[in-house]
Amino acid sequence: MTVQPIGETCSDDVLVSAARAGDRTAFGLLYGRYARVVHGILLCRVPPRDVDDLVQEVFLLVLRQLHSLRDISRFGAWLSTITRNRANDYYRKASPVDRATDPAGEEQAEIRTNDHAVEQEAAMTLAVLRTLPETYRESLTLRLVEGMTGPEIAARMGLTHGSVRVNLHRGMQMLREKLDEKARSAAQNMGKAR
């Protein structure tokens, strides 16, 4: 029997099996492959200031629960579900002040205090993106913020490439419409202010 060394070219199934057996290198490689997915899903749901800490919490939880994963070929979908649940828990455990803080409103506050036009535009776009339906919001965040390709998103999320392509296309249409609407509204408000 030949033992394949754990490396970056190993399949997720091999890495999950090795990580279940206690191989920390394999788990580190899984972290490297999936950290952007977890970050993107959380960025859609919780205030940006808390995303990095929650990414770490998700992976610690995954490490503890890896033995409960029934089908190792579904690791990406399982991880995504854990991430969404952790985001929901964030709001259940949050203080009333944190719960009252709307993530989209938080970006608006950042826009007002930020001097850089590009950063303002990015924060506004993220705020608008967060108003989209979950399916589009996640796919677009992974594409636009995390820089993942359609096939990468499909592979990491356990989706078909076709469904990701449709989600990205429809999501971009919705995002453009909402951004255009927001720009028109801002222009009208500027006209009224004069």
Side-chain angles (χ1 to χ4, degrees), residues 49-79:
R49 69 178 182 271
D50 295 325
V51 170
D52 290 338
D53 289 340
L54 290 173
V55 168
Q56 300 307 315
E57 287 180 28
V58 165
F59 278 99
L60 287 172
L61 183 60
V62 166
L63 182 60
R64 288 192 303 264
Q65 294 184 357
L66 197 55
H67 67 280
S68 70
L69 174 60
R70 288 187 216 134
D71 182 358
I72 61 174
S73 68
R74 302 282 301 151
F75 177 77
W78 179 75
L79 175 63

Side-chain angles (χ1 to χ4, degrees), residues 124-135:
M124 183 196 65
T125 302
L126 182 59
V128 171
L129 193 146
R130 287 176 142 185
T131 67
L132 299 179
E134 179 179 318
T135 303

Side-chain angles (χ1 to χ4, degrees), residues 136 139-140 162-176:
Y136 305 140
S139 297
L140 283 176
S163 67
V164 170
R165 188 171 48 244
V166 168
N167 291 345
L168 288 172
H169 177 73
R170 290 181 182 163
M172 278 303 286
Q173 281 182 312
M174 288 179 78
L175 182 62
R176 281 187 190 112

Side-chain angles (χ1 to χ4, degrees), residues 4 12-14 57 59 63 66 80 113 132 135 155 159 193:
Q4 179 181 2
D12 286 354
D13 293 357
V14 170
E57 287 180 28
F59 278 99
L63 182 60
L66 197 55
S80 298
T113 61
L132 299 179
T135 303
L159 303 169

